[in-house]
Amino acid sequence: MHPIQMVDLQRQYQRDQSLFDRALAQVIGSTAFINGPAVQEFSKKLASYLDVPYVLPCANGTDALQIALMALDMQPGDEVITVPFTFVATVEVVSLLGGKPVFVDVDPHTFNMDPDKLEAAISSRTKAIIPVHLFGQSSHLEPILAIAAKHGIPVIEDNAQATGSDYVRQDGTAVKAGTLGQIGTTSFYPTKNLGCWGDGGALFTRDEALAARIHTITNHGSTRKYYYDSIGVNSRLDSLQAAVLSVKLDHLDQYNQRRQEAATKYDEQLKGLPGVTLPYRAPYSTHVFHQYTLKVGEGRRDALRTLLEAHKIPSMIYYPVPLHLSAAYRSYGYSEGDFPVSEQLAGEVISLPMHSELDHEQLHYITQTLHGFFALPR
Ligand SMILES: *Cc1c(COP(=O)(O)O)cnc(C)c1O
């Protein structure tokens, strides 16, 4: 059996090696490493895939979030509503810009923002709402957008983990996750569903004025070389990463389909394990399984993880500490018990290996090992 990895980028590369090598050789030959044609080409391709008029590339997913807030003219003292059960970047950028992260607890099934708890968190200082599409599934956006619109607050979708997933509206029409709010952001970190071979990120919007502001901010606040209209940053996607991403974007639906097939196999082979909850599939979003995450109750999660490790099966805890209880963010006045769902999830979740190259033999070995664990006397 091929060694099992959380994400197997090597086998993904080998599958289409000649395409990647050719794309990279072309950039190297051109030496157009920054803002070269490969970057424009990829941005256009992604815009077409997402069916959105503006895709603005940048250096990483964290920058994308920060630039989104800057484009909305966020000021020190402003509040930004998001979830405590996410990767730290979502919250970090709010603090870096002098704002206050205001948390809304997540739904215990989807792990995403609970729209029923959103309105109570809104104040006169709320500058933006950032739902995070965790583990490959969109947040319940229509109710979130309705509440946001009622209060005139823009929504930034943190779509780093759900590229390619479809949001299915109440009326049955589908749109790509990340393109419903005023701004969508994503990361091309290598392990994301659409990942490059270094760092990369992007913002998407349907709003021409916002697109122009975002473009200016990523270029040092400059629209004309050496003339500065606003304070910006330096945040670029380089041409080599764009070339890799163009090749991968052609295969994204196929990669996501293979993840979905692996998830279905996991579901079939793991159903009925005592105290184990399989991933929930929301009716309003397709699931592209950035992670395949179980909830393991009865305090057995960590023992399971140890046993998997002994069988050379990697696993990860995304995320072990909800952000409101992390040392860096407690100072905003949060304490234990504030967001009980996030706190409970932190103690129960475990993500199993998930990528486009998982084969049946590996899946069988992983699920049999889990069955072995739950058959053991306690
Ligand atoms: C990966 C990720 C980010 C940050 O992306 P980087 O490219 O690593 O800066 C932000 N939000 C979420 C939810 C992520 O998973």
Side-chain angles (χ1 to χ4, degrees), residues 60-62 65 86-87 89-90 132 158 160-161 187 189 192 200 319:
N60 56 67
T62 309
L65 287 159
T86 176
F87 180 59
T90 324
V132 180
D158 183 346
Q161 301 190 6
S187 161
Y189 186 79
K192 309 286 183 186
Y319 297 93

Side-chain angles (χ1 to χ4, degrees), residues 296-331:
V296 179
E298 299 158 25
R300 303 187 77 186
R301 192 261 320 264
D302 294 339
L304 170 63
R305 194 161 186 229
T306 306
L307 179 119
L308 290 173
E309 206 179 327
H311 286 77
K312 296 196 166 20
I313 299 170
S315 64
M316 292 294 281
I317 309 302
Y318 300 118
Y319 297 93
V321 184
L323 293 172
H324 68 286
L325 299 181
S326 296
Y329 298 100
R330 257 183 197 259
S331 58

